[in-house]
Amino acid sequence: MTEPAPVNLIDLGDAHGNRCVVRVTGRYQPGVLTGHDILRADVLVSASFVDARLELYLSQQDLDAWHHGLTHFVPGKSATIGGDRGLVLDFFMHEDRTLSLTVQDPDRMSLALGIGTQETWLQDHHQRLEHVRETWPSEVVETAPTTYEWSSNRKR
């Protein structure tokens, strides 16, 4: 079975060259119960002062939290992806609907930049999330704390 093509979970950029892309590239450990549903992603951040490529590992809970963040994202609020395991991307929406992005990688760097957005970017990012979930659906069930098995809907 061939690995699916990478999918951009996040793709934000503006006319000033400020850009953030989170590109999901595949499963972390395909076929291994404890790592199968964890997704590998490349984070590409660029602006006049930075051009960075970082790694991010996303659990199904991270995708759920991103969905929740997008659903409730309004001026004055934040949406975050990543977290306890390292790299964190925090998007804050200003009253004019522009975004401030804070990237915190405890091992490498912290940075902040502003990104202008298109009017339909929220709907676009809901669709991007659904595309990631369709491409790499959850196929592992936790039956008890730290006990896992394959779900009945697993693709083979």
Side-chain angles (χ1 to χ4, degrees), residues 8 10-14 16-21 23 44-47 50 101 113-115:
N8 287 353
I10 298 172
D11 191 345
L12 294 168
D14 64 24
H16 302 291
N18 300 325
R19 187 148 190 227
C20 177
V21 175
R23 182 170 294 140
L44 310 167
V45 179
S46 57
V50 67
L101 167 62
L113 66 111
I115 301 176

Side-chain angles (χ1 to χ4, degrees), residues 9-66:
L9 174 63
I10 298 172
D11 191 345
L12 294 168
D14 64 24
H16 302 291
N18 300 325
R19 187 148 190 227
C20 177
V21 175
V22 175
R23 182 170 294 140
V24 179
T25 59
R27 295 186 184 276
Y28 172 56
Q29 294 177 313
V32 177
L33 277 170
T34 55
H36 185 80
D37 276 357
I38 297 171
L39 302 178
R40 291 184 329 266
D42 292 328
V43 177
L44 310 167
V45 179
S46 57
S48 62
F49 61 92
V50 67
D51 189 12
R53 180 178 175 172
L54 306 164
E55 290 183 333
L56 179 63
Y57 295 90
L58 298 168
S59 67
Q60 295 300 312
Q61 291 83 5
D62 290 323
L63 297 179
D64 292 344
W66 181 239

Side-chain angles (χ1 to χ4, degrees), residues 33 37 139-144 147-152 154:
L33 277 170
D37 276 357
E139 297 180 338
V140 176
V141 177
E142 187 171 8
T143 56
T147 304
Y148 304 92
E149 65 182 42
W150 296 111
S151 68
S152 59
R154 180 172 185 222

Side-chain angles (χ1 to χ4, degrees), residues 77-93:
K77 298 288 184 182
S78 292
T80 302
I81 194 159
D84 300 335
R85 297 166 315 281
L87 181 65
V88 178
L89 303 171
D90 184 64
F91 298 87
F92 178 83
M93 187 186 299

Side-chain angles (χ1 to χ4, degrees), residues 83-138:
D84 300 335
R85 297 166 315 281
L87 181 65
V88 178
L89 303 171
D90 184 64
F91 298 87
F92 178 83
M93 187 186 299
H94 297 276
E95 291 299 323
D96 65 359
R97 305 194 67 81
T98 60
L99 300 178
S100 290
L101 167 62
T102 304
V103 179
Q104 296 180 359
D105 184 342
D107 297 331
R108 295 185 194 141
M109 66 180 202
S110 293
L111 67 89
L113 66 111
I115 301 176
T117 59
Q118 302 293 323
E119 192 169 312
T120 60
W121 81 270
L122 273 172
Q123 299 92 322
D124 176 50
H125 280 77
H126 276 287
Q127 292 170 353
R128 289 176 181 283
L129 175 58
E130 286 309 308
H131 188 57
V132 166
R133 289 181 188 241
E134 289 168 3
T135 304
W136 296 283
S138 177

